[in-house]
Amino acid sequence: MNDLTIASVETTILDVPLIRPHKFATTSMSAQPLLLVAIRTSRGVIGYGEGVVPGGPWWGGESVETMQALIERYMVPILLGRRVDEITGALADIDRVVANAQFAKAAIDVAMHDAWARSLGVPVHTLLGGAFRHSIDVTWALGAAPAAEIVEEAQAKLDARMNFSFKLKMGALDPETDTRRIIEIAQALQGKAGVRVDINARWDRLTALKYLPRLAAAGVELVEQPTPGEQLEVLAEINALLPIPVMADESVLTPHDALEVVCRRAADVIAIKTTKCGGLKRSRDVVAVAKAAGISCHGATSIEGPIGTAASLHFACAESGIDFGSELFGPLLFDEELLQEPLRYAEGQLHLPEGPGLGVELNLDAVKTWTRN
């Protein structure tokens, strides 16, 4: 039997350029920082994980720099000498030393899963119960750009049959201006594609109550996290008001958060980011709560690179609770291919790769090119 003992853990920060600036409610980025975590067993098998947040610490309080420091100083000593199949025990021991830090812990979780699966010669989804599907729908995020630019990009995606659903970022502009921009886009794409919005928790209660009904009336099909994550009573009020689904993102990081959303009827859909939940294992716990309550789950993204995206894809293909599609578009936003063989996107879906572990192989020359000095 292969030796599953962890012999080394290495971290590398990359800054990967994007095909265009990606705009959030509070920031914009032209390159995505990634923390690549490599766990090597004593037999030389290497498993990879990614530490990644969407554009910096504004979202969850972590960055590639904080993740690297926490992993190298506090997590590595706990991992060395452990087996890569001891994920539950290793993460429990890490929790005793490092509070929160879900994004950093997710990188460790995924790297352990990848190394374990590669050691056994099986795909990661096998460790999660096996794939019941081999592809998933992908919504493309269009950022917070002007309406004409958004419509042009969306039409190009439709013409190429790459995506049939689009998410628009809001919250960076004056609410009235922002709402008119979205209505213009929704009307331009009416009958061609689904349109949803993500406000990244930037509106207050009165702003949300004033403008969200207008968006719903214009044909927007879903609203994601309009108000601050901790204000579940406000989210519940909005969910009861609107005739379209509300999706909780910043409000749900843990199973307890999911339970609170369920009890308050604060959302119809929960965004599951394997990054914010702390990895594959803990994401399953969050999905289980939602599934028991009949709440849908969406395979969300932190704009991961190919390693993180492949991990979330394996998770989504093995987890029936992910029943509201995905937005696992991250690698398509990158201007540099980091894999030897790219992930396959076609007909509005991302397709599960074959092979052991995550089923992908890094192009180490590309990794070296974009490694931060």
Side-chain angles (χ1 to χ4, degrees), residues 290-366:
K291 188 158 56 173
I295 290 181
S296 292
C297 290
H298 173 70
T301 185
S302 295
I303 311 186
E304 295 97 326
I307 296 297
T309 299
S312 293
L313 176 59
H314 277 264
F315 178 80
C317 287
E319 175 52 71
S320 61
I322 303 295
D323 58 359
F324 203 84
S326 84
E327 55 184 30
L328 300 179
F329 62 83
L332 294 178
L333 197 58
F334 287 22
D335 199 31
E336 177 72 24
E337 180 55 60
L338 297 179
L339 297 180
Q340 295 178 25
E341 182 71 27
L343 290 167
R344 187 166 74 91
Y345 291 87
E347 294 296 320
Q349 295 191 324
L350 172 59
H351 297 262
L352 189 67
E354 297 181 355
L358 294 173
V360 297
E361 301 296 336
L362 284 169
N363 178 341
L364 296 181
D365 289 335

Side-chain angles (χ1 to χ4, degrees), residues 17 80 84 101 120 125 141 148 191 229 251 261 271 291 300 313 337:
L80 294 178
V84 290
L120 299 177
H125 65 71
S251 290
V261 166
K291 188 158 56 173
L313 176 59
E337 180 55 60

Side-chain angles (χ1 to χ4, degrees), residues 64-113:
V64 291
E65 296 84 6
T66 66
M67 287 186 269
Q68 185 177 52
L70 287 172
I71 289 171
E72 292 187 351
R73 174 66 179 85
Y74 298 100
M75 299 186 195
V76 170
I78 293 172
L79 295 171
L80 294 178
R82 302 287 286 264
R83 290 165 53 99
V84 290
D85 60 351
E86 297 178 23
I87 297 173
T88 300
L91 291 178
D93 288 344
I94 288 172
D95 284 342
R96 296 186 182 97
V97 177
V98 181
N100 302 319
Q102 301 292 76
F103 291 85
K105 292 171 183 175
I108 296 297
D109 169 285
V110 170
M112 292 182 74
H113 274 93

Side-chain angles (χ1 to χ4, degrees), residues 72-337:
E72 292 187 351
R73 174 66 179 85
Y74 298 100
M75 299 186 195
V76 170
I78 293 172
L79 295 171
L80 294 178
R82 302 287 286 264
R83 290 165 53 99
V84 290
D85 60 351
E86 297 178 23
I87 297 173
T88 300
L91 291 178
D93 288 344
I94 288 172
D95 284 342
R96 296 186 182 97
V97 177
V98 181
N100 302 319
Q102 301 292 76
F103 291 85
K105 292 171 183 175
I108 296 297
D109 169 285
V110 170
M112 292 182 74
H113 274 93
D114 189 30
W116 180 16
R118 287 178 184 275
S119 296
L120 299 177
V122 300
V124 163
H125 65 71
T126 297
L127 305 181
L128 303 175
F132 75 100
R133 60 186 164 203
H134 290 83
S135 63
I136 190 168
D137 291 343
V138 177
T139 292
W140 178 254
L142 290 161
E149 182 179 329
I150 291 289
V151 172
E152 181 181 2
E153 184 175 344
Q155 188 61 56
K157 289 289 185 181
L158 288 168
D159 292 343
R161 300 192 62 81
M162 288 294 291
N163 303 95
F164 307 108
S165 172
F166 300 96
K167 183 171 84 169
L168 310 174
K169 291 290 186 178
M170 297 186 72
L173 305 176
D174 166 76
E176 178 65 33
T177 302
D178 221 3
T179 298
R180 290 180 180 179
R181 178 180 71 96
I182 298 300
I183 290 174
E184 180 180 348
I185 295 166
Q187 290 175 342
L189 295 177
Q190 188 173 17
K192 300 179 181 180
V195 173
R196 57 189 65 175
V197 297
D198 181 6
I199 305 171
N200 281 129
R202 296 301 153 181
W203 282 359
D204 58 29
R205 173 179 173 272
L206 291 179
T207 301
L209 293 176
K210 178 178 180 180
Y211 291 103
L212 291 180
R214 288 172 57 183
L215 293 175
V220 170
E221 64 182 15
L222 175 142
V223 173
E224 181 177 348
Q225 199 69 51
T227 49
E230 70 276 9
Q231 295 180 8
L232 291 182
E233 67 284 354
V234 175
L235 199 63
E237 182 181 5
I238 293 168
N239 193 37
L241 171 70
L242 295 181
I244 59 175
V246 170
M247 180 155 66
D249 184 9
E250 283 88 342
S251 290
V252 180
L253 280 72
T254 68
H256 181 264
D257 294 339
L259 182 61
E260 285 293 308
V261 166
V262 167
C263 292
R264 296 171 183 262
R265 299 182 180 180
D268 302 299
V269 185
I270 291 176
I272 302 294
K273 294 173 180 169
T274 59
T275 49
K276 71 172 182 177
C277 295
L280 308 180
K281 181 183 180 303
R282 291 176 174 176
S283 294
R284 297 190 80 178
D285 296 338
V286 177
V287 173
V289 175
K291 188 158 56 173
I295 290 181
S296 292
C297 290
H298 173 70
T301 185
S302 295
I303 311 186
E304 295 97 326
I307 296 297
T309 299
S312 293
L313 176 59
H314 277 264
F315 178 80
C317 287
E319 175 52 71
S320 61
I322 303 295
D323 58 359
F324 203 84
S326 84
E327 55 184 30
L328 300 179
F329 62 83
L332 294 178
L333 197 58
F334 287 22
D335 199 31
E336 177 72 24
E337 180 55 60

